[in-house]
Amino acid sequence: MPLFQKLFSKRFGPIFLLYLIIISLAFITRTALLFKSAAGFEWTFLNIIGIYFIGLFYDTVLASYFCIPLVLYIWLIPNKIFRKNWHRIILYGYFLLVTFLLLFNIVAEWVFWDEFSTRFNFIAVDYLVYTTEVIGNIWQSYPVIKILIIIFLIAIATFFLIKNSIKASLNSSLQFSKRTMIALPLLCIPILSWFLVSNKGKEFSNNQFAVELAGNGLYEFGAAFCNNELDYNKFYATIDQDRAFKIVRELLGHDNVTFLEDKNSIVRKIKYTGDEKKYNVVLISVESLSADYLGVYGNTQNLTPNMDSLAKNGLLFSNLYASGTRTVRGLEALSLSIPPTPGQSIVKRPNNENLFSIGNLLKKQNFDTQYIYGGYGYFDNMNYFFSNNGYQVIDRTAINEKKEIHYENIWGVADEDLFTLSIKELDKDYQSGKPFFSQIMTTSNHRPFTYPDGRIDIPSHTNQEGAVKYTDYAIGKFLKEAATKPWFNNTIFVIIADHCASSAGKTELPVYRYHIPAFIYAPKIVKPQVFEKLIAQMDIVPTLLGMLNINYDSKFFGRDIFQVKPDEEWAFVSTYEKLGFIRNGHLLVLSPQKKVQQFKVLPNNDQIEEKVDKKLEEEAIAFYQTASYLYKNKLLSK
């Protein structure tokens, strides 16, 4: 009798069988994702061996968790019941369910990798909260029913292949004491792994695709779920607190800046000469728009003729980088002007009310301040965050008449309908006699990439290029209509992406994947020019305040870019746990376990690891440490 058949015929044979199924499907998943990412994967012997052997370790840990209910059942069920014919239905059902879920996971991981080029992570956990939008997005993007039927049929076929092996164990008898001697060690495996294993063990290579492939998607999901907020001082490299604030104050100091408190503070007076300028400001945050989609940044597909024209006739920022990889990170940078603190975005954290935001600041300056969104604002906690930080929130619920909606999907109304709503609101603001600040968040440039027919030459539901071109169409239409309004000549329009379309690359923080488009358009106010200095996304807010010539006491970490000297350029990039600081062509990366790395960023977008420069390290730590300290201690309130 073959060895496997002997094992299956034993009382705990189903445990071994389940383990084989789990690691086999995990092997298939890993191999499929490997070939999907073949272009970015570094094909070395070490990487190939690493992803499969380290991957097997994490697959085994995951399998130990799946085996817990089966171990308990086989251990505690008496022999008399275990040998009953009806009993096999329970075991059959469990194997069929687990097989279906694991096959479904293969498809889910493929889809997630296609979007983010990573295993399940914090984003996947985040999406669980918003099941309506996420499930709706999947439903509109993929043939879900067909996929589920295929998965179910494969699960049934797999079950019939293993049915006899499950059945072989049902005639075995084993005394409870002997079952205990087997069950307890098996149960110790997941218990010990819970306390002793972390997902950091997969970080064996400098190639990020190899690191991701070495992990296990479901295990990574669990790890992200348990670590969705990270305490900076506990997990990251630190320096003396007084020194950290001293460094940050030196970096934020300018001729028009006076610090108002002695230490452990960045509160400072920002003073401009001349009178305040009561311009209106309309800030358009464009969903998932990488700089390389625009012609002014080198694209040759003519996807953005309207934005290209506007940018050429305005102030174009050629070297601006997003704070993170999610919409909420962009919203955080554009409202709070703060570096990306580790873990969840502040937009989604508890106790995020009454912060020092541009909304609260301009509201004190007698501006009408609004956040206008084409979807339902409960998504990503936007309603709560903005309404509690100085903005009036206007979302999908403000559009009541069906005739005002040309198209909508799970994320919200089409961008042209969002801008129609925005025009109405801006007209109301103008009639009130007060200047206005309105931040508009688009949604159409997002999977499933659907929009009204007949607007552009790329059919709806085709690809992201089509969604980009449609959003460009909607922005062009909006600005054309706005130009007919009496408030147009006195209005500054800012168009900026929230983050790039993709953040994946060969390294943990591929800098070029954070390069976003941004420009200011105001024909009567701003002269056409290209601004080439390195800029952080959070610099937009104080730059706008500078254009308004407003004197104010600031708690912002960003700076008016027109006050920045050539040797004072930097930017911030991040994932939920990797914190990057870019300066002078170098990227300093802070990671959990107090890890510090430095990379030289080459013109071809490659990044070569180099010796850590002490000065750059202290500057990076100082920014992130002080930002985390001020937020944690509620010192960033308005």
Side-chain angles (χ1 to χ4, degrees), residues 44-78:
T44 65
F45 179 75
L46 178 62
N47 280 346
I48 295 171
I49 293 296
I51 67 170
Y52 283 106
F53 277 88
I54 296 174
L56 178 61
F57 171 77
Y58 282 109
D59 298 342
T60 300
V61 171
L62 177 77
S64 73
Y65 294 128
F66 269 97
C67 288
I68 290 174
L70 198 55
V71 171
L72 290 172
Y73 187 78
I74 292 173
W75 173 33
L76 299 175
I77 292 298

Side-chain angles (χ1 to χ4, degrees), residues 23 37 66 89 91 127 175 479 544 578 632:
I23 64 171
S37 57
F66 269 97
I89 297 174
L91 284 178
Y127 278 174
Q175 293 178 351
L479 266 297
L544 287 172
K578 305 290 184 181
K632 182 178 180 180

Side-chain angles (χ1 to χ4, degrees), residues 88-113:
R88 69 186 62 177
I89 297 174
I90 297 175
L91 284 178
Y92 290 166
Y94 186 73
F95 270 87
L96 183 60
L97 175 63
V98 170
T99 303
F100 178 84
L101 291 176
L102 292 173
L103 289 169
F104 180 83
N105 177 68
I106 293 177
V107 177
E109 284 212 61
W110 180 272
V111 171
F112 193 82
W113 188 280

Side-chain angles (χ1 to χ4, degrees), residues 328-329 332 335-336 338-353 355 380-381 384-385 389 627-628 631-632 636:
V328 283
R329 278 297 187 202
E332 175 187 273
S335 58
L336 302 179
I338 187 174
T341 51
Q344 183 63 276
S345 165
I346 290 173
V347 173
K348 300 193 66 178
R349 292 187 193 176
N351 305 314
N352 62 3
E353 309 89 357
L355 297 175
D380 271 344
N381 202 44
Y384 186 86
F385 173 78
N389 284 289
S628 297
Y631 177 75
K632 182 178 180 180
L636 292 178

Side-chain angles (χ1 to χ4, degrees), residues 100-396:
F100 178 84
L101 291 176
L102 292 173
L103 289 169
F104 180 83
N105 177 68
I106 293 177
V107 177
E109 284 212 61
W110 180 272
V111 171
F112 193 82
W113 188 280
D114 186 56
E115 186 81 13
F116 300 104
S117 295
T118 68
R119 294 297 191 118
F120 291 144
N121 57 19
F122 189 60
I123 297 173
V125 176
D126 206 25
Y127 278 174
L128 270 186
V129 180
Y130 303 102
T131 52
T132 300
E133 285 79 6
V134 174
I135 292 174
N137 180 37
I138 293 170
W139 186 270
Q140 293 174 357
S141 301
Y142 303 98
V144 176
I145 297 298
K146 291 181 181 179
I147 291 172
L148 290 176
I149 291 173
I150 292 171
I151 292 172
F152 182 72
L153 292 175
I154 295 174
I156 291 290
T158 304
F159 168 73
F160 278 106
L161 287 175
I162 64 174
K163 179 182 177 182
N164 288 337
S165 296
I166 302 171
K167 187 177 179 180
S169 70
L170 298 177
N171 295 322
S172 64
S173 296
L174 196 63
Q175 293 178 351
F176 182 77
S177 59
K178 292 183 178 179
R179 297 202 305 269
T180 302
M181 292 177 64
I182 298 173
L184 290 181
L186 289 175
L187 292 172
C188 282
I189 295 173
I191 293 172
L192 290 173
S193 68
W194 177 268
F195 292 103
L196 300 178
V197 178
S198 81
N199 64 338
K200 304 304 176 188
K202 70 181 188 297
E203 297 179 359
F204 74 102
S205 172
N206 288 327
N207 183 268
Q208 191 61 17
F209 288 104
V211 171
E212 291 295 333
L213 289 167
N216 176 286
L218 289 174
Y219 182 84
E220 291 295 317
F221 182 89
F225 186 83
C226 295
N227 297 283
N228 60 0
E229 288 194 27
L230 300 174
D231 181 88
Y232 183 88
N233 283 8
K234 180 179 179 181
F235 290 101
Y236 293 85
T238 59
I239 58 178
D240 177 75
Q241 190 80 297
D242 289 345
R243 176 158 178 75
F245 273 99
K246 182 176 184 295
I247 291 171
V248 170
R249 287 160 68 98
E250 289 175 353
L251 292 172
L252 295 181
H254 292 293
D255 293 340
N256 67 331
V257 170
T258 304
F259 285 93
L260 303 177
E261 299 175 6
D262 291 338
K263 64 177 185 178
N264 289 0
S265 169
I266 62 166
V267 179
R268 59 204 188 276
K269 171 77 71 179
I270 309 293
K271 189 173 180 59
Y272 293 94
T273 58
D275 297 331
E276 291 184 6
K277 301 173 181 178
K278 295 296 184 180
Y279 297 135
N280 308 305
V281 179
V282 175
L283 194 160
I284 302 173
S285 306
V286 183
E287 172 68 41
S288 305
L289 186 64
S290 304
D292 54 17
Y293 280 120
L294 273 69
V296 287
Y297 293 94
N299 187 285
T300 58
Q301 297 172 278
N302 194 33
L303 298 175
T304 57
N306 293 294
M307 283 190 279
D308 290 337
S309 175
L310 295 169
K312 290 175 183 177
N313 288 283
L315 171 60
L316 173 67
F317 303 113
S318 64
N319 203 14
L320 190 147
Y321 291 83
S323 287
T325 61
R326 295 289 318 283
T327 294
V328 283
R329 278 297 187 202
L331 296 179
E332 175 187 273
L334 294 171
S335 58
L336 302 179
S337 186
I338 187 174
T341 51
Q344 183 63 276
S345 165
I346 290 173
V347 173
K348 300 193 66 178
R349 292 187 193 176
N351 305 314
N352 62 3
E353 309 89 357
N354 301 314
L355 297 175
F356 188 81
S357 68
I358 188 172
N360 277 323
L361 193 155
L362 289 179
K363 194 172 183 180
K364 288 182 179 178
Q365 298 287 331
N366 202 34
F367 277 67
D368 278 335
T369 53
Q370 303 161 323
Y371 177 74
I372 307 177
Y373 180 56
Y376 292 105
Y378 66 79
F379 183 75
D380 271 344
N381 202 44
M382 288 186 281
N383 272 353
Y384 186 86
F385 173 78
F386 283 105
S387 63
N388 284 279
N389 284 289
Y391 298 77
Q392 175 195 5
V393 176
I394 302 166
D395 70 355
R396 167 70 180 78

